[in-house]
């Protein structure tokens, strides 16, 4: 009786959730739309893979929530994978008896053919049930594998799926590599990965993960045993190699991916600033877009010929933008010094909306352009100066397209990242972290809360204003509608997804939050649905972030590191004695 209760609690319930997700994917049209793209040509399409992944994930989650015995883990996993198949079979049977398209427009014969593998209702339904049960069972077997084989297998399969999904983008990049473009013939057909190409991707990814896991610790130990001079030489070589890769990256990736890198870079700039406010000091700021707007409009007002008041270059206007950003951060910080948590978030949210409404107002239209914004901003230029006495004019380099602005944003990220890194380990950085943990205790230890909080707001505002200034120069114009609340939400997501308080986490989070949706732009409106689902799954599986700070990782995983059972797994999975 206890086993039946556990199967219901961990197998059927999770399977029902997975079934609802599978029905949602089917009836919103995603399955049919994505069925036009193959991951492996002639073997499996993206639409069918979505359905199978739902069953696999349900089975894996059910196995993860079942402790012992092993046979019960496999039974729960199989049941959780089978239930979505049952619900899809019900959809197919009912859809063939009743015209569901009168209510659900995407319940089409094409959907039924996809779900039944074009084998008819009876044979196809049986195949779908078998596919669900086998998918869940395989997920359970994968869960029971040792950690290293499981990691190698899952990562390699994910690499094949990701390569198939992004095949058009990868093919375009490789096609610009001259003689190396012949690689496309080995890996891709017109509709998906070739079977040899899929095997090659699987083997390469699996080998990389395996070698990193097996040899990574040994290589690190060998590195630490070297003499300090040798270690410094290797570090310098690694930095030079990294610099070379970053320099040639836009030429290798092409125009579209360079544009994606510039968008990600701007959010890295802003995220490093918000990471100081939220991650270091623990001050929840939802009006962060205000400082971004201050930097953008400062550059626009000082450089745009439309107003005719100033005629500065971008480099002359940039210090003013950063300075006004610092002042606006202090102005915001003064009235909220006594506020914490939700109250602070609401007040900063109001500050951001005040800035947006002021920019839109008719009162400031002669100075800021109102709803029409400001345009014709001159591009940033390096060089073009004449050396006095030598009559030598240096060549001018103008930042015009994304492949040029990439270098400007890269330099900005390196400077801001270095400053943030030095601040984190400084006396001020430790004071910020003390305020984050407990303001009262920090004040009792002698930390000046007023100065510490104002410096956090000012530092974050300076970095955001820098990002806004580069953003305005990149577009060549500024409009009030570019500074909505969603910008603050996106930057906050970058910090949280990457790991609050972690500088490398901001970089990883920016690629995950902004880079991935841009790469999936070809999937139209469905990309945001996948994006939201991915964020939910990420927060469930990695609440500390993708690259968390060491202290935060210890706080969230204290019970696991102490060897105690985690609350989630403590579900009384063993039969009662």
């Amino acid at each position: 009786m206890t086993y039946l209760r556990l199967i219901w609690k961990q197998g059927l319930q999770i399977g029902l959730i997975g079934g609802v997700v599978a029905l949602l994917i089917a009836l919103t049209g995603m399955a049919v739309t994505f069925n036009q793209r193959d991951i492996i040509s002639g073997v499996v399409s993206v639409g069918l893979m979505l359905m199978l992944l739902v069953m696999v994930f349900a089975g894996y989650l059910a196995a993860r929530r079942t402790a012992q015995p092993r046979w019960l883990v496999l039974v729960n996993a199989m049941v959780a994978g089978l239930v979505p198949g049952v619900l899809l079979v019900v959809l197919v049977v009912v859809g063939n008896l009743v015209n569901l398209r009168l209510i659900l427009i995407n319940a089409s014969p094409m959907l039924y053919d996809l779900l039944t593998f074009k084998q008819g209702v009876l044979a196809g339904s049986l195949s779908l049930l078998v596919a669900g049960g086998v998918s869940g069972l395989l997920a359970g077997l994968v869960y029971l594998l040792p950690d290293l084989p499981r990691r190698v297998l899952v990562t390699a399969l994910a690499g094949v799926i990701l390569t198939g999904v992004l095949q058009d983008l990868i093919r375009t990049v490789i096609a610009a590599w001259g003689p190396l473009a012949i690689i496309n013939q080995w890996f891709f057909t017109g509709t998906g990965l070739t079977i040899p190409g899929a095997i090659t991707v699987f083997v390469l990814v699996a080998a990389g993960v395996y070698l990193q896991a097996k040899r990574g610790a040994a290589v690190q130990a060998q590195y630490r045993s070297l003499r300090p001079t040798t270690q410094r030489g290797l570090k310098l070589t690694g930095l030079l190699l990294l610099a070379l890769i970053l320099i040639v990256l836009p030429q290798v990736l092409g125009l579209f991916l360079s544009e994606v890198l510039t968008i990600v870079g701007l959010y890295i700039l802003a995220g490093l600033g918000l990471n100081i406010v939220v991650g270091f000091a623990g001050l929840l700021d939802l009006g962060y877009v205000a400082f971004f707007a201050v930097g953008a409009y400062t550059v626009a007002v000082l450089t745009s010929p439309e107003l005719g008041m100033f005629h500065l270059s971008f480099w002359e206007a940039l210090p003013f933008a950063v300075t006004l950003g610092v002042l606006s951060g202090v102005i915001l910080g003064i009235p909220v010094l006594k506020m914490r948590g939700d109250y602070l978030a609401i007040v900063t949210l109001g500050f951001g909306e005040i800035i947006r409404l002021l920019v839109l107002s008719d009162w400031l239209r002669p100075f800021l352009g109102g709803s029409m914004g400001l345009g014709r901003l001159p591009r940033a230029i390096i060089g073009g100066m004449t050396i006095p006495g030598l009559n030598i004019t240096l060549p001018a380099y103008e930042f015009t397209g994304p492949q040029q602005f990439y270098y400007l944003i890269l330099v900005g990220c390196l400077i801001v990242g270095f400053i943030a890194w030095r601040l984190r380990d400084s006396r001020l950085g430790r004071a910020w972290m003390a305020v984050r943990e407990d303001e009262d205790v920090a004040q009792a230890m002698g930390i000046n809360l007023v100065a510490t909080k104002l410096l956090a707001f000012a530092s974050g505002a300076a970095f955001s204003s820098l990002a806004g200034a580069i953003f305005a120069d990149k577009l060549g114009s500024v409009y009030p509608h570019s500074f909505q609340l969603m910008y603050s939400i996106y930057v906050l997501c970058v910090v949280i997804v990457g790991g609050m308080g972690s500088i490398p986490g901001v970089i990883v989070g920016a690629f995950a939050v902004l880079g991935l949706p841009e790469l999936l732009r070809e999937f139209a409106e469905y990309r945001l649905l996948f994006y939201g689902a991915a964020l939910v799954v990420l927060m469930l599986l990695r609440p500390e972030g993708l690259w968390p700070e060491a202290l935060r990782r210890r706080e969230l995983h204290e019970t696991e590191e102490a060897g105690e059972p985690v609350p989630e797994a403590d579900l009384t999975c063993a039969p009662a004695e």
Side-chain angles (χ1 to χ4, degrees), residues 413-463:
C413 290
L414 292 175
I415 294 174
V416 170
F418 177 77
I419 295 173
W421 172 59
R422 296 295 295 172
L423 284 174
R424 182 195 63 185
D425 297 327
S426 67
R427 180 184 180 89
L428 177 60
R430 293 194 295 272
W432 282 334
M433 295 176 190
V435 171
R436 179 189 65 189
E437 297 301 324
D438 194 310
E439 288 188 19
D440 297 330
V441 174
Q443 188 174 25
M445 293 173 61
I447 294 175
N448 188 330
L449 293 184
V450 174
T452 302
K453 288 186 176 182
L454 289 181
L455 284 172
F457 280 116
S459 302
F463 295 160

Side-chain angles (χ1 to χ4, degrees), residues 119-430:
Q119 296 178 3
V121 177
L122 181 58
S125 298
L126 291 175
S127 299
L128 186 56
L129 292 176
V130 171
V134 171
S135 298
L137 183 60
L138 290 176
L141 290 172
V142 169
Y143 175 77
L144 292 176
L145 288 174
D147 180 66
L148 179 57
R150 181 173 67 243
R151 194 192 324 165
V152 169
L153 180 61
V154 172
T155 308
L157 289 175
V160 173
I161 294 173
L162 189 61
T163 304
V165 170
L166 301 177
Q167 57 185 280
D168 286 346
L169 190 58
I170 296 173
R171 271 206 309 260
T172 303
V173 172
I174 295 177
W177 291 359
L180 295 178
I182 196 174
I183 296 175
N184 278 332
Q185 299 179 10
W186 171 264
F187 282 95
F188 302 102
T189 64
T191 58
L193 279 167
T194 64
I195 294 179
I199 295 174
T200 303
V201 172
F202 182 90
V203 171
L204 290 176
V205 175
V209 175
Y210 180 80
L211 290 176
Q212 189 275 332
K214 297 295 288 185
R215 299 293 301 166
V219 171
Q220 291 179 4
Q222 187 176 4
Y223 171 78
R224 287 192 292 268
S225 66
L226 297 174
R227 292 181 298 177
T229 54
T230 307
Q231 291 184 12
R232 285 195 294 269
L234 290 175
K235 286 182 180 179
L236 181 60
T237 303
L239 290 175
L240 291 176
L241 182 60
L242 177 62
L244 179 62
I245 293 174
L246 292 176
I247 290 172
V248 303
L249 203 55
Q251 282 66 40
V252 173
L253 296 181
L255 190 63
F256 174 72
L257 288 180
S258 297
E259 176 66 23
V260 173
L261 286 178
T262 59
I263 295 172
V264 171
L266 287 173
Y267 276 90
I268 290 175
L269 274 176
L272 288 170
L274 188 60
N275 191 47
I276 290 178
V277 182
V278 177
F280 290 176
L283 306 172
L284 183 56
D285 186 357
L286 292 182
Y288 198 63
V289 67
F291 311 124
F292 189 79
V294 167
Y297 267 96
T298 301
V299 168
V301 170
L302 295 178
T303 61
S304 175
E306 291 185 354
L307 295 178
M309 295 186 295
F310 306 96
H311 302 282
L312 301 181
S313 67
F314 169 77
W315 300 110
E316 293 170 337
L318 187 60
F320 291 98
V322 176
T323 302
L324 285 179
V326 172
L327 292 177
S328 61
V330 174
I331 291 173
L332 168 65
I334 290 175
V336 301
L337 287 173
K338 299 294 184 179
M339 296 182 180
R340 304 179 186 179
D342 300 338
Y343 303 100
L344 176 62
I346 293 172
V347 171
T348 53
L349 173 63
F351 183 79
E353 285 299 294
I354 289 172
I355 295 297
R356 186 180 66 84
L357 293 175
L358 284 176
V359 170
L360 275 170
S361 66
D362 292 334
W363 178 49
L364 294 177
R365 181 188 295 271
F367 307 101
L368 301 179
S371 60
M372 298 302 293
L374 296 173
R376 299 170 58 193
L377 274 63
R379 302 291 189 182
I381 299 176
I382 292 179
M385 299 177 296
T386 301
I387 300 177
L390 298 178
N391 293 327
I392 298 176
T393 302
L394 299 176
Y397 182 85
E398 183 177 6
F399 296 94
T400 54
Q403 290 178 304
Q404 291 76 38
F405 267 99
Y406 163 84
Y407 296 107
L408 178 60
I409 296 173
L410 176 62
V411 172
C413 290
L414 292 175
I415 294 174
V416 170
F418 177 77
I419 295 173
W421 172 59
R422 296 295 295 172
L423 284 174
R424 182 195 63 185
D425 297 327
S426 67
R427 180 184 180 89
L428 177 60
R430 293 194 295 272

